[in-house]
Amino acid sequence: MRIPRSTARAMALHRSWNASIEWRLLDGRGWLLKAVVHEIEQRRLFPWIPVCFGVGILLFFQADGAPALWAPLGAFAVCGVAGIALRRNMTVLVAMIALSAVFAGFSAGVIRTRIVAAPALTRITITTIKGSVEAVEDREEGQRLLIRIIEMKDVAETERPRLVRVSVRAGAGLTAGQFVTGTARLLPPPEAAWPGGYDFARDAYYKGIGAVGSMVGQVRRVVDPPKLPDWSLQVAAQVDEARNALTQRIATSIGGAAGGVGAALVTGKRGLIPEATNDILRGAGIYHIVSISGLHMVLAAGTFFWLVRSFLSLGSTIALLWPVKKIAAVAAMIGATIYCIFSGSDVATERSLIMTLVMFGAVLVDRPALSIRNLSIAALIVLAREPEALLGPSFQMSFGAVAAMMALVPLMQRKPGDGTPTTILERGFRWVGRVMLGLVTTTLVASIATAPFAAYHFQSLNPYGLIGNALALPLVSVVVMPSAVLGVLAYPFGLDRPIWQVMGAAVEQVLAVSTWVGSFSGSTMVVPALSIGALAFLSLSLLVMAIPASSLRWIALLPAGIGLAFTTVPDRYDIFIDREGAGAAIRGARGQLTLVGRPSGFVTEQWMRADGDARNADDASLRREARCDSAGCIVIAGDGRRIAFVQDYAAFEEDCRRANVIVTRLQAPPTCRRPFIVDGAALKERGATTLRFSPDTVEVTSVRKGREAMAWPDSRSIPTDGVLAQGRPRPARPVPEQDFPEDEISTGEPD
């Protein structure tokens, strides 16, 4: 009898490992060996390659400075050669493949960072700009433009951003492809509001955006541009203009908030959705339907697949002689690609397209479309192309949800011996029952799988999201997305308006369901931000549950338990400090954060959410515990320490004698040695900073410098020159105002 190749490999693996490990000490009855053999037979080692690839990417983003490329590439080559040379030893081979994947991921991060490298502004600038409009997003209050810069007054070419994103007032009437000029107020893309928060600057860097801001005064169109746009800009402008035209067509055909939502579902343009509607969708836990990603791509591609396959199956000759399923798969791949391009080719959409193409590609080669191996291939392609995607919520939530649902599929398959329905009525009841059970179960599993990522990135959970999704997704799947496909096909003929109105009726029902679910008490729960440790263990538990095919998956309970234990001890800070020193949030005697200074509303809400506090930025109770005058504020912390927020030099004399901690955007005088000081110079070096107090030390965490443990300045274990801004012999002079603008833009939520 011939032994299968996978079994032979498993036996070889056992022989090589058995030389150094006594298996009976590990598994008594051979449980572990059987599980490993089963994993190899089911080809479940391959999905760990993208996991190792992702580990390499994470290591790259933890590296200081700009890592050299030769080091990870050299290590990758060495591990590859070692694996080939020692391939007869399965232990070494597996280890070398894993290390090669790690170094490949690190190399991908280095290469990607170098490819997208472009200048970015380092300070606020008001200047005249000239450039071509690459994309336009219509919004309720005006337009938002993405401009490819050709000229920027008083800014050297080596420092000139390649792309800037600016807002203009309503009535500008600009379109993609136009060459424009005007005065813009620009500032560097803002960094995270707190260490671990959403880093808009990082996302902007990988998108090539070097500045953000607004146009001041009139924006003029130049009829005869000094430089003709290249073909890529012309194509991007034409696609964007077509998207805008269809967006307006759908929005006007449907009308109201439903029109904005319907347009976003088709074109990806979300600017016409009122903010109140966004809040309603978030409260119901179904905001994901307006972000074109995996759900929309699967439904759109599935609609193309079903239409083509049904049409070809009408003729018996074609159905019998032609590979109808494969033809429909090719049509679905083409349709999904066109949908991706027309919806803006955002990062999330492109990732969903890659996953969809891999799935339908498996159909072409007669392999199962839904498998953990295909998902692994899609993840590997996405991470090799965009390593930074690993850090974002879109990648984590989409791949996490799909992996969890794939792990669920074997548990939901019908077992041998199940009764076969005999009547049409019985078959109908069983079909409806399976559909409803599948919808509820998959929604529940996806919600559980994505909850850690939602808590980490958005600090919110929607406990009634199961109800909202169970009621809304059937409408989206059966009515909205098929109508979207038919509407786009009918749009060139001018026969699309009735179809959009049908889709609009379904969208209105989705909004009605969202309003009802969002009205439940506690529909949106604000939770403290998860620590990195909690997210890491919960992510590991998801991987261990989804990838193995054997009983090894139950090992996932161990990291899941550790991760849940971490969530019970939230990573709260005692002080949040704005990156420019404009304000701070200090934990008062009542245990809640107290606001001082003038931080922006966006930054304040980021701080509140990170602390698990549901109060809005305009809540009067935020300033209740602060005693303020024109020179600054004093807050008494829970342990009795006095925290001073200094806004005027006159306050230093008293606060340096009485306060334990001083926070200021100014530069502290050299005679101020007693308090622990975070001043303008320290913030300029570190960015947004948080402090956590203990009896002997202060834990300082900043966006640019990471985490450091420091002693209190009056401790005998620390030199008198202290840390951060304590006792440094420098003149008492203000930090230049232009480096710390008082106002800043609200970047909103991640795209």
Side-chain angles (χ1 to χ4, degrees):
M1 182 181 67
R2 183 179 179 182
I3 301 177
R5 181 180 298 178
S6 58
T7 304
R9 289 181 179 176
M11 295 172 63
L13 177 65
H14 170 56
R15 287 194 300 270
S16 63
W17 282 352
N18 199 39
S20 57
I21 299 177
E22 180 58 53
W23 283 93
R24 287 172 297 179
L25 296 177
L26 295 176
D27 57 342
R29 299 182 179 180
W31 166 80
L32 184 58
L33 177 60
K34 292 179 182 178
V36 172
V37 171
H38 185 69
E39 293 298 314
I40 297 175
E41 289 178 344
Q42 297 297 317
R43 306 175 70 183
R44 289 302 180 99
L45 296 184
F46 176 81
W48 290 103
I49 293 180
V51 174
C52 295
F53 193 90
V55 171
I57 294 173
L58 293 177
L59 291 176
F60 164 75
F61 281 105
Q62 292 299 313
D64 292 330
L69 180 58
W70 63 265
L73 284 181
F76 170 75
V78 169
C79 292
V81 171
I84 295 174
L86 303 174
R87 61 186 179 276
R88 294 184 180 277
N89 188 317
M90 293 297 294
T91 306
V92 176
L93 177 61
V94 171
M96 289 301 103
I97 292 176
L99 288 175
S100 297
V102 171
F103 289 118
F106 198 103
S107 302
V110 177
I111 294 172
R112 170 70 171 169
T113 301
R114 294 187 179 185
I115 289 176
V116 302
L121 288 184
T122 57
R123 56 185 297 171
I124 187 170
T125 302
I126 299 178
T127 183
T128 301
I129 63 173
K130 295 181 181 179
S132 299
V133 179
E134 188 170 300
V136 177
E137 182 178 0
D138 292 321
R139 305 170 75 86
E140 288 187 305
E141 65 279 4
Q143 293 178 313
R144 191 165 68 179
L145 312 179
L146 184 64
I147 301 178
R148 187 177 298 185
I149 297 298
I150 303 298
E151 181 180 333
M152 184 177 288
K153 186 178 179 181
D154 299 329
V155 177
E157 185 175 354
T158 56
E159 301 176 358
R160 187 178 66 204
R162 185 174 67 88
L163 294 173
V164 300
R165 198 177 75 179
V166 294
S167 58
V168 296
R169 293 191 297 268
L174 299 174
T175 59
Q178 294 178 342
F179 192 91
V180 298
T181 181
T183 302
R185 181 182 184 275
L186 302 174
L187 63 155
E191 295 178 335
W194 60 280
Y198 170 58
D199 192 347
F200 178 82
R202 183 187 63 216
D203 285 356
Y205 176 86
Y206 286 101
K207 292 177 181 177
I209 300 175
V212 293
S214 59
M215 301 300 293
V216 180
Q218 183 180 3
V219 182
R220 300 181 302 277
R221 178 184 177 186
V222 178
V223 179
D224 297 320
K227 181 180 179 181
L228 294 177
D230 57 22
W231 67 270
S232 63
L233 178 58
Q234 294 179 17
V235 172
Q238 291 175 1
V239 171
D240 190 73
E241 185 60 23
R243 292 175 63 205
N244 286 328
L246 183 57
T247 299
Q248 291 295 333
R249 173 75 169 182
I250 299 172
T252 55
S253 298
I254 299 175
V261 174
L265 289 169
V266 179
T267 66
K269 298 276 189 175
R270 291 178 281 177
L272 297 180
I273 304 177
E275 188 58 32
T277 303
N278 287 328
D279 293 337
I280 290 173
L281 293 172
R282 292 189 188 99
I286 59 174
Y287 185 74
H288 60 89
I289 69 171
V290 300
S291 176
I292 296 180
S293 54
L295 172 66
H296 308 78
M297 193 62 65
V298 168
L299 293 176
T303 301
F304 282 113
F305 181 82
W306 180 83
L307 288 175
V308 173
R309 190 175 187 183
S310 299
F311 177 76
L312 294 178
S313 299
L314 293 177
S316 58
T317 302
I318 295 177
L320 293 174
L321 300 180
W322 289 17
V324 173
K325 184 178 181 180
K326 294 183 178 181
I327 294 174
V330 172
M333 295 169 74
I334 295 174
T337 303
I338 295 174
Y339 180 48
C340 177
I341 295 173
F342 198 75
S343 62
S345 298
D346 288 336
V347 175
T349 313
E350 291 177 355
R351 288 197 290 268
S352 303
L353 174 65
I354 291 173
M355 189 185 302
T356 302
L357 294 180
V358 170
M359 300 302 177
F360 281 106
V363 174
L364 296 180
V365 295
D366 298 316
R367 301 297 297 270
L370 293 175
S371 69
I372 198 70
R373 186 180 183 86
N374 291 344
L375 183 65
S376 303
I377 294 173
L380 200 57
I381 294 173
V382 169
L383 292 178
R385 183 174 178 271
E386 298 168 344
E388 71 278 6
L390 181 63
L391 304 181
S394 178
F395 176 91
Q396 296 170 6
M397 298 180 76
S398 59
F399 277 89
V402 175
M405 288 187 286
M406 286 185 177
L408 177 69
V409 168
L411 303 178
M412 297 184 63
Q413 292 176 342
R414 180 181 295 179
K415 298 179 181 179
D418 288 350
T420 302
T422 57
T423 65
I424 296 178
L425 185 61
E426 185 179 0
R427 286 197 295 268
F429 277 121
R430 285 208 173 189
W431 181 84
V432 173
R434 285 197 303 270
V435 170
M436 295 304 298
L437 178 62
L439 178 62
V440 173
T441 305
T442 54
T443 301
L444 178 61
V445 170
S447 300
I448 294 174
T450 58
F453 307 114
Y456 179 80
H457 292 283
F458 307 117
Q459 296 85 52
S460 64
L461 296 174
N462 302 105
Y464 302 114
L466 176 63
I467 300 175
N469 281 276
L471 296 176
L473 288 185
L475 288 170
V476 175
S477 305
V478 178
V479 181
V480 174
M481 291 309 298
S483 298
V485 173
L486 294 176
V488 170
L489 295 176
Y491 175 61
F493 300 95
L495 303 174
D496 56 316
R497 187 177 296 273
I499 301 176
W500 300 133
Q501 291 172 348
V502 171
M503 185 179 77
V507 172
E508 288 177 350
Q509 294 302 312
V510 170
L511 294 179
V513 168
S514 303
T515 303
W516 177 64
V517 175
S519 65
F520 296 170
S521 177
S523 59
T524 300
M525 295 177 56
V526 178
V527 297
L530 292 187
S531 64
I532 291 292
L535 182 67
F537 278 108
L538 292 175
S539 301
L540 178 62
S541 68
L542 176 61
L543 292 172
V544 176
M545 178 60 72
I547 294 178
S550 66
S551 54
L552 286 175
R553 64 175 52 185
W554 298 113
I555 298 177
L557 296 176
L558 178 61
I562 298 175
L564 291 174
F566 272 115
T567 63
T568 61
V569 186
D571 208 13
R572 286 192 169 99
Y573 299 102
D574 292 310
I575 300 181
F576 291 85
I577 307 172
D578 180 65
R579 55 181 168 263
E580 295 153 356
I586 304 169
R587 193 171 307 283
R590 299 181 182 181
Q592 290 185 309
L593 292 178
T594 297
L595 196 64
V596 294
R598 294 183 296 168
S600 70
F602 173 75
V603 170
T604 300
E605 291 188 1
Q606 291 286 298
W607 291 342
M608 294 299 112
R609 284 182 169 272
D611 198 57
D613 195 326
R615 290 179 293 175
N616 296 323
D618 56 356
D619 194 316
S621 64
L622 287 175
R623 299 181 181 271
R624 185 178 302 163
E625 294 189 60
R627 294 179 294 173
C628 299
D629 56 25
S630 60
C633 299
I634 292 290
V635 177
I636 306 299
D639 58 0
R641 288 190 172 96
R642 295 170 60 90
I643 316 298
F645 181 78
V646 176
Q647 295 177 294
D648 191 287
Y649 284 100
F652 278 118
E653 181 179 357
E654 179 181 358
D655 290 335
C656 286
R657 288 186 289 104
R658 303 182 61 185
N660 301 100
V661 178
I662 290 181
V663 177
T664 179
R665 66 186 301 175
L666 306 174
Q667 192 160 323
T671 56
C672 192
R673 291 180 176 273
R674 182 180 183 276
F676 188 94
I677 303 174
V678 182
D679 68 355
L683 293 174
K684 187 175 181 179
E685 178 185 0
R686 297 171 177 269
T689 301
T690 59
L691 305 180
R692 183 185 289 113
F693 302 144
S694 67
D696 300 322
T697 61
V698 181
E699 185 180 281
V700 181
T701 308
S702 61
V703 170
R704 300 174 191 167
K705 296 291 186 178
R707 181 173 298 182
E708 304 168 81
M710 303 178 180
W712 286 98
D714 54 0
S715 172
R716 297 179 181 178
S717 62
I718 187 170
T720 57
D721 60 349
V723 283
L724 287 185
Q726 298 173 37
R728 294 178 181 174
R730 56 177 182 265
R733 56 179 176 82
V735 176
E737 284 289 331
Q738 58 268 29
D739 289 338
F740 297 92
E742 291 190 8
D743 54 344
E744 56 188 304
I745 63 166
S746 172
T747 57
E749 294 188 351
D751 292 335

